[in-house]
């Protein structure tokens, strides 16, 4: 396999585990393998799956991560824009309780994305208040899930 031109290695977390098992039947669809293929020349060391830990059955690999991109939401500035004031207060309180104060602030300032799981929780909070429109975030991106 070759390097992927649209893969941005700068988004790979510093301590992300890479995989170099090129004969694995799932290598083409594994994010760890994709990261391993795209290491730039200026990165001298990385964490990787030990060859002794490579499973004999590829469908049982505990290290596998899908290359499927996920939808990440960024920012909470517009979440309450179209809501009546009394409902917006309740929604704001409920949403803030989902995270510690620091995490909430980081998400509000676009320093940390709102994961699909958290997006679902926010949508459920709005649904409980009778809001049927989807939540409004500052912007949405499609990215690899390096968790």
């Amino acid at each position: 396999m070759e390097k992927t031109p649209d893969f941005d290695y700068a988004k790979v977390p510093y301590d992300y585990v890479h995989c170099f098992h090129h004969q694995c039947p799932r290598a083409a669809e594994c994010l760890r393998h994709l990261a391993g293929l795209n290491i730039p020349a200026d990165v001298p060391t990385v964490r990787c799956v030990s060859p002794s830990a490579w499973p004999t059955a590829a469908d049982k690999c505990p290290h596998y991560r899908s290359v499927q991109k996920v939808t990440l939401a960024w920012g909470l500035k517009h979440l309450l824009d179209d809501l009546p004031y009394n409902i917006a207060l309740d929604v704001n309180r409920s949403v803030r309780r989902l995270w510690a104060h620091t995490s909430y602030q980081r998400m509000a300032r676009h320093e940390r994305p709102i994961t699909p799981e958290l997006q679902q929780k926010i949508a459920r909070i709005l649904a409980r208040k009778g809001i049927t429109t989807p939540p409004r975030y500052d912007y949405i991106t499609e990215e690899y899930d390096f968790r």
Side-chain angles (χ1 to χ4, degrees), residues 49-55:
V49 177
S50 169
S52 62
W54 291 346

Side-chain angles (χ1 to χ4, degrees), residues 1 18-34 37 49-51 53-67:
M1 294 180 74
H18 298 60
C19 183
F20 301 101
H21 185 13
H22 303 300
Q23 290 76 33
C24 177
R26 295 182 80 185
E29 59 191 53
C30 181
L31 187 56
R32 294 191 190 283
H33 189 261
L34 184 63
L37 285 175
V49 177
S50 169
W54 291 346
T56 54
D59 60 333
K60 304 277 191 230
C61 183
H63 310 289
Y64 171 79
R65 296 295 179 270
S66 174
V67 293

Side-chain angles (χ1 to χ4, degrees), residues 48-92:
C48 68
V49 177
S50 169
S52 62
W54 291 346
T56 54
D59 60 333
K60 304 277 191 230
C61 183
H63 310 289
Y64 171 79
R65 296 295 179 270
S66 174
V67 293
Q68 197 73 27
K69 290 186 175 184
V70 295
T71 302
L72 297 176
W74 297 85
L76 299 164
K77 190 181 299 181
H78 302 291
L79 184 65
L80 307 173
D81 283 359
D82 299 328
L83 304 180
Y85 181 74
N86 59 340
I87 293 176
L89 286 176
D90 285 343
V91 168
N92 189 35

